Amino acid sequence: MTDLHAESATECHVAELCGLFGVSKQAYYQYDEDAALAKAAKEAFALQYAKGIREVDPGIGGVKLWTMYSREFACDKPICRDRFCRILHEHGLKLRLKIRKPRTTDSTHGLPTYPNLIKDFIPTAPNQLWVSDITYIVIMDDEYRYHFCYLSLILDAYTEEIVGWSVGPTLDTTYPLEALRMALRRIEGKKINLIHHSDRGCQYVSREYVNLLKDYGIRISMTETGDPKDNAQAERINNTMKNELLKDKVFRSIQDVIAAVAVAVDFYNNRRPHMSIGMKAPAEMVESTGDRDMRWHSYRLEVIKSRDNLDIPENCLPLPACQGSPSGLRPPVNP
């Protein structure tokens, strides 16, 4: 009777149903109240059971808790798993899901790599240096299962603008290539002197990726070690994307990720101020040249500029002041 009323409440009124089944309205509402009390009692019991197990095993997961509960009280019609997990969530008893970090760089491929061309290079205009990298994004299948998709990004090192991006379900070269093609559309017909810098991952040393860069006359630069500092700008944009622009977002499909990244990239490029470029948005820098108005101190930049200002031969190396001449310079090896 209650099920019938729930399915067609507008067509079947309580009074009509009571007459049909030969019961009073008072009996119907009494039954409904009893059912609600029984449901609340079951949920309260399940909550107390979970708290009791957690006192013994604080780190036990929700699914294991429900399995224990359903086995021990199988004869008493235990509540379902989803309802049990909802109770844990409502009372702050859910454990934080530990996400394993996938490896996005495979440099054990044995393919030819390229030297690092940007150790002492400082771009002074757009399209002089692009840095690229791949990071992972979590997609939740349900409360306890997840898988990954992978975001490929290309950043202009001078403007801080994301010039190319792509999201893919795997680490195949297809998706970094999509990001590269997006970036290349921006320089069609332009005269450029451009370096593309990346790690030594198999995607970036693949024949397709390397040949596309060479077709555009772009010089190829790669890290020489696994040190993230060798590709620091790319690491920073990965962190900004995941821990700021996409922070606390829960994705259920790759389509959700693609839509969110598109919004994030548009906001980052066109509206978000950046300390490395005088608190401007990256899109405001596309016509700029010269030194950037950096609002933070770069020791790397300072060292490179001081070295350039010395304007001395490479075989004249600086020494500590107490170990050399007053100028602090070692005399040339081959005078």
Side-chain angles (χ1 to χ4, degrees):
M1 180 175 166
T2 53
D3 292 341
L4 184 61
H5 180 252
E7 291 176 4
S8 53
T10 56
E11 299 177 5
C12 301
H13 298 289
V14 172
E16 295 174 355
L17 290 173
C18 288
L20 180 63
F21 286 92
V23 297
S24 66
K25 289 175 64 177
Q26 182 181 2
Y28 170 81
Y29 286 118
Q30 183 64 48
Y31 172 82
D32 196 45
E33 184 179 351
D34 291 344
L37 289 173
K39 177 182 177 182
K42 275 193 173 184
E43 291 189 353
F45 177 79
L47 176 61
Q48 290 305 313
Y49 176 84
K51 287 181 176 179
I53 298 297
R54 281 279 172 82
E55 289 179 1
V56 180
D57 185 353
I60 191 170
V63 172
K64 291 179 181 178
L65 268 175
W66 177 80
T67 301
M68 292 176 62
Y69 161 78
S70 61
R71 284 176 180 172
E72 293 181 25
F73 302 99
C75 60
D76 195 31
K77 295 183 179 179
I79 62 179
C80 66
R81 190 193 72 174
D82 289 347
R83 196 161 136 211
F84 187 89
C85 293
R86 176 178 56 79
I87 293 170
L88 296 182
H89 177 71
E90 290 174 351
H91 290 84
L93 294 176
K94 281 188 66 177
L95 296 179
R96 183 177 179 181
L97 183 63
K98 293 181 180 179
I99 305 292
R100 63 177 180 86
K101 294 182 179 181
R103 185 180 178 185
T104 56
T105 302
D106 176 16
S107 56
T108 62
H109 40 69
L111 297 171
T113 59
Y114 292 78
N116 188 340
L117 303 179
I118 67 166
K119 287 180 179 179
D120 298 328
F121 179 72
I122 302 171
T124 56
N127 300 319
Q128 290 184 347
L129 173 60
W130 289 351
V131 295
S132 58
D133 201 8
I134 303 171
T135 190
Y136 69 91
I137 294 176
V138 179
I139 298 176
M140 299 301 300
D141 301 316
D142 55 33
E143 294 295 329
Y144 301 97
R145 294 179 299 171
Y146 61 89
H147 65 282
F148 300 109
C149 65
Y150 301 92
L151 172 62
S152 300
L153 291 170
I154 300 178
L155 184 82
D156 187 295
Y158 180 78
T159 66
E160 300 287 349
E161 186 176 14
I162 297 172
V163 294
W165 65 273
S166 177
V167 177
T170 68
L171 286 166
D172 289 348
T173 306
T174 302
Y175 306 104
L177 274 171
E178 286 181 0
L180 179 58
R181 291 191 180 100
M182 179 188 293
L184 291 173
R185 286 195 289 270
R186 304 167 66 91
I187 59 172
E188 289 285 355
K190 294 183 179 179
K191 186 177 180 181
I192 58 167
N193 183 16
L194 175 61
I195 298 173
H196 176 283
H197 184 72
S198 69
D199 58 35
R200 296 172 296 162
C202 56
Q203 301 88 349
Y204 298 119
V205 299
S206 66
R207 181 179 62 183
E208 297 89 346
Y209 203 97
V210 167
N211 286 346
L212 187 55
L213 290 173
K214 289 181 177 179
D215 288 344
Y216 278 78
I218 298 172
R219 289 182 289 165
I220 304 171
S221 171
M222 293 182 178
T223 59
E224 295 176 354
T225 68
D227 189 344
K229 293 179 181 178
D230 287 348
N231 201 10
Q233 252 183 308
E235 295 288 343
R236 282 201 300 272
I237 185 59
N238 285 347
N239 181 69
T240 299
M241 180 62 69
K242 292 171 63 175
N243 297 319
E244 180 186 325
L245 296 165
L246 302 180
K247 180 178 173 60
D248 296 333
K249 292 185 182 293
V250 178
F251 301 109
R252 300 294 181 182
S253 69
I254 195 169
Q255 289 75 23
D256 291 345
V257 177
I258 293 171
V261 171
V263 172
V265 169
D266 179 71
F267 175 81
Y268 178 89
N269 283 345
N270 296 295
R271 298 179 62 191
R272 180 186 180 275
H274 202 296
M275 290 183 67
S276 293
I277 50 177
M279 299 305 286
K280 295 180 179 179
E284 298 178 77
M285 292 290 292
V286 294
E287 301 296 333
S288 300
T289 58
D291 289 344
R292 303 190 302 173
D293 179 16
M294 297 183 65
R295 302 296 174 88
W296 56 279
H297 190 80
S298 170
Y299 290 100
R300 172 180 174 270
L301 183 64
E302 187 177 82
V303 169
I304 293 172
K305 284 196 170 185
S306 63
R307 188 183 304 153
D308 292 342
N309 289 337
L310 287 174
D311 194 23
I312 59 176
E314 290 184 359
N315 56 359
C316 294
L317 303 177
L319 285 173
C322 62
Q323 296 183 16
S325 63
S327 63
L329 298 179
R330 181 185 296 130
V333 176
N334 297 311

